[in-house]
């Protein structure tokens, strides 16, 4: 089965690849990733916000079009499994992991989020008791360091945009795959975010905010071009 061929349009019903464990969640759920077949040069992760499980669905659908692991891309389907199991943005400690990274602007202030785009930003979450207080945060940092990747794509929803510090070849590829506009920043402060952490560590990070669509629509639109990107990425 893993003969390196790519049948355009075909999608496997089962998940054909084996995961490796890179840590445990607060509740002891294994944190797992898919290694690159040759050498990881890019990490793409989904599901750091547990209520954005369409990111996991789309990445799974893209990977299931492949008959071998990508040569140079490592993948995480669920970065916050306790959150996905609860369908909450936060982890089991009530921490927004995307505000828990050890950045120069990390803040102990409550994180204010909104339940839907139309709601006021008044739902309170914790940024953690300290920077990198959460096992999911620490494990992701260690994995990136151990893999030695310099580029990361972070999948979120539902703003419908491509966000990176500057426009790069990678951000342009994401604009092309997702047919979404690029902008720098999401329009409100995000202290302790993965994107800020990446910038301070000289990692190139592109955040993909999927549009507000049903998972099936996202898969129909994006699984094929995302699969081709994963398969063909070299640098
Ligand atoms: Zn998110």
């Amino acid at each position: 089965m893993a003969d390196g061929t790519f049948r355009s349009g075909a999608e496997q019903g089962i998940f054909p690849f084996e995961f490796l464990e890179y840590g445990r969640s607060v509740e002891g759920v294994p944190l797992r990733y898919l290694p690159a077949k040759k050498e990881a040069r890019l990490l793409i992760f989904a599901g750091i916000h547990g209520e954005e499980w369409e990111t996991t669905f789309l990445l799974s659908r893209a990977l299931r079009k492949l008959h071998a692991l990508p040569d140079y891309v490592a993948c995480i389907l669920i970065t916050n499994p306790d959150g996905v199991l609860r369908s909450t943005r936060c982890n089991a400690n009530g921490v927004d992991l995307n505000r828990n990274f050890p950045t120069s602007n990390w803040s102990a202030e409550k994180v204010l989020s909104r339940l839907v785009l139309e709601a006021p930003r008044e739902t309170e979450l914790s940024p953690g008791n300290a920077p990198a207080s959460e096992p999911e945060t620490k494990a992701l940092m260690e994995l990136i360091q151990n893999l030695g990747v310099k580029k990361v794509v972070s999948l979120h929803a539902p703003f419908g945009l491509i966000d990176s510090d500057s426009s790069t070849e990678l951000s342009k590829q994401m604009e092309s795959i997702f047919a979404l506009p690029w902008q720098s920043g999401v329009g409100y402060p995000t202290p302790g975010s993965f994107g800020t952490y990446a910038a301070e560590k000289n990692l190139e990070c592109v955040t993909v905010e999927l549009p507000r669509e049903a998972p099936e629509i996202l898969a129909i639109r994006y699984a094929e071009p995302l699969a081709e990107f994963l398969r063909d990425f070299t640098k």
Side-chain angles (χ1 to χ4, degrees):
M1 186 166 65
D3 60 357
T5 57
F6 178 77
R7 289 185 298 133
S8 179
E11 182 166 305
Q12 300 171 77
I14 56 145
F15 197 79
F17 307 118
E18 285 190 23
F19 297 93
L20 298 178
E21 189 171 326
Y22 69 95
R24 292 280 166 126
S25 72
V26 169
E27 295 216 312
V29 177
L31 302 169
R32 305 192 304 172
Y33 77 104
L34 295 164
K37 190 172 163 197
K38 292 182 179 167
E39 164 200 308
R41 295 177 183 169
L42 171 79
L43 173 71
I44 181 166
F45 68 81
I48 193 168
H49 286 142
E51 63 189 3
E52 298 167 6
W53 48 267
E54 65 266 48
T55 60
T56 298
F57 180 86
L58 175 62
L59 187 53
S60 170
R61 285 292 181 101
L63 285 162
R64 282 157 47 186
K65 290 181 177 294
L66 304 179
H67 286 241
L69 285 168
D71 284 342
Y72 298 107
V73 184
C75 304
I76 303 174
L77 282 179
I78 305 183
T79 311
N80 175 13
D82 294 349
V84 170
L85 288 168
R86 292 168 169 73
S87 223
T88 56
R89 183 177 178 87
C90 56
N91 74 351
N93 286 336
V95 174
D96 184 336
L97 298 175
N98 205 34
R99 301 291 180 273
N100 186 237
F101 285 86
T103 61
S104 56
N105 68 355
W106 181 85
S107 166
E109 295 280 308
K110 288 264 185 222
V111 179
L112 295 177
S113 65
R114 50 192 178 192
L115 293 177
V116 294
L117 286 177
E118 293 79 8
R121 187 166 280 114
E122 62 183 15
T123 302
E124 289 190 352
L125 293 175
S126 166
N129 293 328
S133 59
E134 303 310 295
E136 297 90 348
T137 308
K138 277 190 283 225
L140 183 60
M141 290 162 52
E142 284 169 15
L143 177 66
I144 287 168
Q145 189 168 17
N146 292 340
L147 292 175
V149 292
K150 294 283 179 232
K151 299 183 182 193
V152 181
V153 171
S154 161
L155 296 178
H156 289 259
F159 288 117
L161 57 88
I162 308 296
D163 168 26
S164 59
D165 279 353
S166 59
S167 180
T168 62
E169 186 183 346
L170 182 60
S171 71
K172 289 196 178 89
Q173 285 174 306
M174 294 300 119
E175 282 179 73
S176 166
I177 291 169
F178 294 100
L180 290 171
W182 175 85
Q183 71 177 56
S184 183
V186 289
Y188 54 87
T190 57
S193 71
F194 178 81
T196 304
Y197 172 78
E200 293 181 3
K201 287 282 181 186
N202 286 319
L203 298 167
E204 182 184 349
C205 173
V206 178
T207 300
V208 175
E209 282 275 352
L210 297 173
R212 192 186 205 184
E213 294 283 2
E216 249 184 42
I217 302 293
L218 296 173
I220 288 168
R221 274 192 208 159
Y222 302 133
E224 187 79 36
L226 182 56
E228 287 176 11
F229 167 80
L230 296 171
R231 182 198 56 184
D232 295 340
F233 180 88
T234 55
K235 65 179 175 58

